[in-house]
Amino acid sequence: MSSFLSITLPDELGVGKLPPHLGWGELYGASKALAIAHALEVEQRPIVILTPTMNSAVRLATEIPIFAKSKIHIQIFPDWETLPYDHFSPHQDIVSQRLETLYELTQGNIQCIIVPMKTALQRLAPTDYLAHYALYLKRGQTLDVNAFRLQLEQAGYLHVSQVMSHSEFSVRGSIIDLFPMGSDKPFRVDLFDDEIDSIRFFNTSDQRSGEAVDEIKLLPAREFPTDSNALTLFRQQYLELFPDYTGKDSAFTQITKGMMPGGVEYYLPLFFGTTSTLFDYLPKQTLLMLDEDLDSAAQRFWQDLSHRYEQYRYNVERPLLAPEQLYLDKNTCFGLFKAFARISLSESKTASKGSRENFGCLPVPEIAVDGSKKIPFMALDNFIKSCPASTRVVFCAETQGRKENLLQLLKKTSLKPVSIAHFSEAFSCSSLVSIMVGRVEHSFIYKDAHETLVFITETQLLGHQITMKRRRDQRQATDEGAIIRNLAELSAGQPIVHIDHGVGRFIGLEIIAAGDVETEFMAIEYAKGAKLYVPVASLHAISRYSGGDPEHAPLHALGSDAWSKAKEKAAKKVRDVAAELLNVYAQRAAKPGYAHGIDWDAYQQFANSFPYDETPDQAQAIAAVLNDMGSASTMDRLVCGDVGFGKTEVAMRAAFIAAHQGKQVAILVPTTLLAQQHFEKFHLWEFL
């Protein structure tokens, strides 16, 4: 891969000898990540890669380390993941990642940042904002708890009873728990009198302390300040723009009282005298890499932005800043590129000039395994035979388990891949055919005068895209339908249930001052006019009342044991039902069933023929059904799902396994129309 190892970078020949704008062409599929990986290994300057979308940014961030020989530190500077002028604020984890990236830029600690075009257009806080508002704690430092608490609140941190997520803190005697923005772990600060005795990581799930550290930094909780000076500046600039939009329910009134409504980020410029751009944060020696379609991506975003501005600009309670106050226009942004050395990346061939370099990478032709043919791997075999005899072939599977599956499938071909740990080993191993693990989406062919390399991904070979299973939080204490996720879901007089106090009626929101801190509470009325005030941060303890007519919901008395007895009675009933079900299922388990033998090769080919990726719930249901069918126990499973959520696809997999074993399959449906629809669906696959 000599061409990739001797890539030309903008300043190799010196200023005046080589234009600052280079072009890299014929970088098809994952070869783009390969070229960038080699550049990162030889380049000492920070590299910023601009991509048209967030998806393409994530893909590059995943693929580049797979091709790099050494460890590369890559950060994504994400967008807010909200629509322009949304009444929702970005998730705190996203804000934390953005603030950490900007802080590292100011400290000169960046090797590579990948930035979606939408993010590059944003106007940001001034470059000195983070340095001015960042807080630092060191072991042995003297700390005034009350003053520190005030500093945290002015920085936008929320005081809670138990720290669970970014920008939260709690004070319990001599212990301060906090989850700083820009950190992936929370910290526990233990004081001895007024001196910091220790700083340790802790786990939010079990609250146990872990490894000790000597110092920590705390970035502000938001991308704009919320102290008194900032609020005064906001008030002045808002009134200059919108003097007639100051009603009691307006965004102006809420913000000036320190209550930040959802979507307050779209007033960011009003908290500063001037704003900056991402390019103001970049060192002068930064190398920009410009992916394809940036122009069209910027144009599409501005069309969406202008449309939403016209759609929502007439809301008297929430007047909007003009788009140009929040974002750079396309021409201005592209003009800022010119201050930096830059490389344009392209799949197509670039003009043959001194400042252009083509890498000779091409797409791999259609080679997908076709289970309906007598020789499923015919397309792959024919393609490999058409390549020069010295061609190196590298197969890439997403995980170790999928690599083993792919090796089993390839045994049916003349190819005998050798497992390698890293892409670079493909050029030194004895075999011309190798296989590796890596999450890469697109294949490519590389040719030069000396050698040919074919890089084949599992996605292209099996004819479908492999999707990563997301880890899902299974710790759900309440029914999904009963959860209240937003205060907007509550209305005055609505019956609700507090997990510790029982049924009451929601009255409204009240602000209560405790010391010098004003906190918003939910007021709940119980029997005999008793009231309970619950902090809005404890919304998770509240659920909907589902016991009957809301108007006649029985209210519990605060301080009585009626609610405790009701919970105990319900728990006893649950145990009784569980015991009854246990007995029924024990009897059923004692009866023998039929264990289906599953031909995994045939099943995999059948499953690969479906055009859509499985959802996580579908995959879970399919795995459970296959496990049942392969077991000798009697099968008894109910698959539930709304219309269009993929129940039929689960049933078709089960039907295939049964039919493949020579068993009959009966499909019962409630109407003739559904019978016809299912007949047509099942008839598309020739297994019955």
Side-chain angles (χ1 to χ4, degrees):
M1 306 304 291
S2 56
S3 181
F4 281 109
L5 295 174
S6 59
I7 52 179
T8 304
L9 295 168
D11 61 349
E12 283 186 348
L13 299 182
V15 177
K17 295 184 179 180
L18 191 68
H21 186 190
L22 303 185
W24 287 357
E26 294 185 325
L27 287 174
Y28 187 85
S31 66
K32 190 177 296 181
L34 174 60
I36 295 172
H38 281 300
L40 283 166
E41 289 179 334
V42 301
E43 183 57 68
Q44 301 299 315
R45 297 173 296 175
I47 292 180
V48 175
I49 306 168
L50 274 72
T51 63
T53 65
M54 186 64 184
N55 286 340
S56 54
V58 172
R59 184 172 65 250
L60 276 179
T62 303
E63 293 180 355
I64 291 171
I66 293 171
F67 295 107
K69 293 181 181 179
S70 57
K71 186 176 181 179
I72 294 176
H73 182 55
I74 298 176
Q75 290 179 252
I76 295 179
F77 187 47
D79 60 45
W80 281 336
E81 294 188 13
T82 60
L83 294 173
Y85 303 112
D86 249 350
H87 289 195
F88 302 97
S89 289
H91 194 280
Q92 286 298 91
D93 292 349
I94 293 175
V95 176
S96 174
Q97 185 178 351
R98 287 169 58 91
L99 289 171
E100 173 68 8
T101 303
L102 292 177
Y103 178 81
E104 293 297 328
L105 275 173
T106 63
Q107 301 301 304
N109 297 330
I110 290 295
Q111 183 181 10
C112 178
I113 302 177
I114 305 179
V115 186
M117 192 61 205
K118 176 182 175 181
T119 311
L121 294 171
Q122 271 188 312
R123 296 189 183 274
L124 306 172
T127 54
D128 61 350
Y129 166 63
L130 294 176
H132 182 70
Y133 283 91
L135 302 173
Y136 300 87
L137 294 180
K138 295 183 179 181
R139 192 163 59 88
Q141 174 183 335
T142 300
L143 187 68
D144 183 327
V145 175
N146 291 329
F148 181 63
R149 178 173 175 169
L150 182 61
Q151 281 182 300
L152 288 175
E153 289 171 346
Q154 289 180 342
Y157 282 73
L158 178 66
H159 184 264
V160 296
S161 58
Q162 181 174 325
V163 171
M164 296 298 293
S165 59
H166 282 105
S167 76
E168 293 181 345
F169 77 98
S170 71
V171 179
R172 302 190 308 277
S174 63
I175 295 177
I176 303 173
D177 288 348
L178 44 87
F179 204 145
M181 302 298 279
S183 171
D184 57 354
K185 296 179 181 178
F187 295 92
R188 177 163 291 153
V189 180
D190 197 350
L191 299 176
F192 181 75
D193 194 14
D194 61 349
E195 182 179 302
I196 297 178
D197 185 55
S198 68
I199 306 174
R200 294 180 179 273
F201 295 117
F202 76 91
N203 192 312
T204 55
S205 58
D206 59 19
Q207 297 293 305
R208 291 183 178 180
S209 300
E211 181 184 352
V213 296
D214 291 328
E215 61 180 343
I216 57 173
K217 73 174 184 299
L218 291 86
L219 300 178
R222 298 181 183 272
E223 296 183 39
F224 55 89
T226 55
D227 58 9
S228 58
N229 292 334
L231 293 179
T232 298
L233 181 59
F234 167 83
R235 188 181 299 111
Q236 293 173 351
Q237 297 195 93
Y238 182 99
L239 291 175
E240 290 176 4
L241 293 171
F242 314 112
D244 300 324
Y245 297 84
T246 57
K248 64 177 183 178
D249 296 324
S250 66
F252 172 81
T253 302
Q254 295 180 59
I255 295 172
T256 53
K257 288 183 178 180
M259 299 165 54
M260 301 298 162
V264 64
E265 289 74 16
Y266 289 98
Y267 290 108
L268 181 145
L270 301 185
F271 291 88
F272 301 104
T274 58
T275 56
S276 295
T277 69
L278 172 65
F279 305 98
D280 296 320
Y281 282 83
L282 301 182
K284 292 182 179 179
Q285 71 272 23
T286 299
L287 172 61
L288 295 184
M289 289 191 172
L290 311 177
D291 203 355
E292 294 180 283
D293 299 325
L294 296 183
D295 186 284
S296 57
Q299 189 171 342
R300 285 194 303 270
F301 172 72
W302 262 90
Q303 288 174 349
D304 293 340
L305 177 65
S306 301
H307 174 73
R308 288 183 65 84
Y309 176 70
E310 290 299 326
Q311 187 176 9
Y312 296 109
R313 65 182 297 190
Y314 303 104
N315 185 343
V316 296
E317 301 294 344
R318 200 180 182 101
L320 304 181
L321 294 180
E324 56 270 16
Q325 293 178 277
L326 295 168
Y327 294 91
L328 301 172
D329 63 72
K330 182 186 70 173
N331 293 333
T332 302
C333 182
F334 281 42
L336 294 175
F337 294 169
K338 297 178 181 179
F340 304 93
R342 57 203 187 277
I343 300 174
S344 294
L345 310 175
S346 174
E347 289 187 354
S348 58
K349 190 172 183 178
T350 64
S352 298
K353 297 180 181 178
S355 60
R356 299 289 184 265
E357 184 171 357
N358 291 301
F359 288 82
C361 294
L362 302 169
V364 173
E366 182 60 45
I367 57 170
V369 177
D370 189 348
S372 64
K373 292 184 177 179
K374 187 175 181 180
I375 306 177
F377 289 88
M378 181 181 293
L380 174 64
D381 286 335
N382 291 339
F383 168 66
I384 297 298
K385 289 176 182 177
S386 68
C387 297
S390 60
T391 298
R392 292 190 178 273
V393 180
V394 181
F395 291 97
C396 186
E398 185 182 299
T399 64
Q400 187 66 34
R402 301 198 71 89
K403 187 185 88 169
E404 297 302 322
N405 290 338
L406 191 54
L407 282 170
Q408 290 297 319
L409 290 173
L410 291 173
K411 284 182 178 179
K412 299 177 181 180
T413 71
S414 59
L415 302 173
K416 307 300 178 189
V418 174
S419 293
I420 57 174
H422 189 270
F423 174 76
S424 59
E425 297 178 15
F427 309 100
S428 58
C429 70
S430 56
S431 174
L432 290 175
V433 184
S434 56
I435 185 169
M436 58 177 283
V437 173
R439 191 180 176 193
V440 182
E441 188 172 337
H442 298 295
S443 308
F444 66 89
I445 304 171
Y446 171 76
K447 290 183 179 181
D448 65 11
H450 308 289
E451 59 188 340
T452 301
L453 168 77
V454 178
F455 187 87
I456 300 175
T457 65
E458 181 184 11
T459 300
Q460 182 162 3
L461 183 62
L462 299 183
H464 67 288
Q465 183 174 350
I466 306 300
T467 56
M468 291 289 285
K469 293 182 181 179
R470 297 185 178 183
R471 296 178 61 186
R472 307 184 72 189
D473 192 352
Q474 302 297 330
R475 298 169 296 171
Q476 295 185 355
T478 55
D479 175 36
E480 282 281 342
I483 295 174
I484 297 174
R485 296 178 174 83
N486 194 306
L487 289 171
E489 298 178 21
L490 297 175
S491 58
Q494 176 182 346
I496 55 178
V497 182
H498 190 286
I499 191 171
D500 295 321
H501 303 286
V503 181
R505 288 192 182 276
F506 176 69
I507 301 174
L509 299 176
E510 294 186 23
I511 296 176
I512 300 176
D516 296 329
V517 180
E518 289 188 345
T519 307
E520 196 169 20
F521 289 82
M522 293 177 284
I524 306 174
E525 184 179 25
Y526 284 85
K528 300 179 182 179
K531 289 185 179 180
L532 178 70
Y533 294 94
V534 180
V536 293
S538 299
L539 186 63
H540 59 275
I542 306 297
S543 59
R544 291 185 178 84
Y545 173 75
S546 56
D549 183 6
E551 294 184 4
H552 301 94
L555 304 185
H556 287 97
L558 285 178
S560 72
D561 59 356
W563 175 242
S564 299
K565 288 181 178 179
K567 288 200 295 183
E568 290 176 5
K569 184 178 179 181
K572 183 178 183 302
K573 183 67 174 176
V574 168
R575 286 193 293 269
D576 292 342
V577 173
E580 184 179 345
L581 288 174
L582 187 62
N583 180 50
V584 170
Y585 278 91
Q587 294 180 36
R588 181 175 291 145
K591 296 180 179 180
Y594 175 78
H596 290 78
I598 302 177
D599 182 341
W600 290 106
D601 288 345
Y603 170 77
Q604 191 61 51
Q605 290 180 24
F606 172 74
N608 291 343
S609 64
F610 286 96
Y612 302 110
D613 299 330
E614 298 128 8
T615 67
D617 289 337
Q618 263 187 314
Q620 185 178 1
I622 291 167
V625 169
L626 295 186
N627 184 63
D628 288 347
M629 296 187 73
S631 170
S633 300
T634 304
M635 184 174 181
D636 178 39
R637 182 168 296 278
L638 176 66
V639 178
C640 299
D642 209 340
V643 176
F645 275 61
K647 299 185 297 298
T648 303
E649 192 172 319
V650 178
M652 292 177 79
R653 282 169 159 81
F656 172 82
I657 292 171
H660 208 260
Q661 287 279 294
K663 302 295 182 182
Q664 289 184 320
V665 179
I667 302 167
L668 305 180
V669 294
T671 66
T672 305
L673 177 61
L674 280 174
Q676 180 64 30
Q677 289 176 346
H678 279 72
F679 173 77
E680 292 172 357
K681 280 187 177 181
F682 275 69
H683 196 64
L684 290 174
W685 281 265
E686 299 178 358
F687 62 85
L688 291 180

